[in-house]
Amino acid sequence: MTFEPLFEASLAIQIHFYTVVPAFLLGTLQMVLPKGTVLHRWNGYTYMALMVVTATAAAFIPSFMEQGLVLGHFGYIHLFVILTYVTVPLAIWNARKGDIRNHRGAMIGLYVGGILIAGGLAFMPGRVMHEMVFG
């Protein structure tokens, strides 16, 4: 494994990487730690802030699939940016109004879509993560 491809990547990719790694760790912790505690709330706010910064940085990263371009440099993978921008305020709103079922659904959807699926796509050939891990 080498970090050289990351160091040579654009600022948007570097910001994306440095915010998505702690978001992945915090999101995973949120799934297993007790809910409704002060720690859960603060970890959640931190996780959501990291996800918004991650999504914002991702908006400046060109799509890696030429045939998947929708508008300019945006591709279908950028739908995860919209998912994040919609889900984060929705999750906060649901939690504040006491609708824990919908809060939980929004947060699980953000984790699965924004972290696991989009994160998995980051390891496709031609992507920085692929170069970092597989050379």
Side-chain angles (χ1 to χ4, degrees):
M1 182 168 170
T2 177
F3 286 93
E4 195 64 33
L6 177 65
F7 301 145
E8 294 173 357
S10 70
L11 180 60
I13 290 174
Q14 291 181 32
I15 291 170
H16 186 74
F17 177 83
Y18 291 125
T19 56
V20 80
V21 170
F24 167 73
L25 296 173
L26 272 179
T28 303
L29 274 177
Q30 287 295 84
M31 296 295 170
V32 299
L33 290 177
K35 311 302 183 257
T37 64
V38 172
L39 178 63
H40 175 80
R41 194 169 296 127
W42 283 106
N43 281 349
Y45 284 131
T46 305
Y47 168 73
M48 289 189 278
L50 286 167
M51 287 301 291
V52 167
V53 174
T54 296
T56 302
F60 292 94
I61 301 171
S63 178
F64 63 99
M65 297 173 57
E66 292 276 331
Q67 68 275 19
L69 292 180
V70 178
L71 179 65
H73 78 263
F74 296 107
Y76 294 114
I77 195 166
H78 289 96
L79 291 173
F80 292 110
V81 172
I82 297 168
L83 170 78
T84 303
Y85 286 162
V86 169
T87 303
V88 167
L90 185 64
I92 293 170
W93 182 66
N94 282 320
R96 287 192 176 165
K97 73 176 191 166
D99 187 350
I100 302 307
R101 181 174 177 263
N102 283 325
H103 169 73
R104 182 183 306 117
M107 295 313 299
I108 290 171
L110 180 62
Y111 183 80
V112 169
I115 295 285
L116 299 182
I117 295 173
L121 293 172
F123 289 91
M124 291 182 68
R127 306 286 293 187
V128 172
M129 286 303 297
H130 184 274
E131 294 301 315
M132 287 172 59
V133 174
F134 303 111

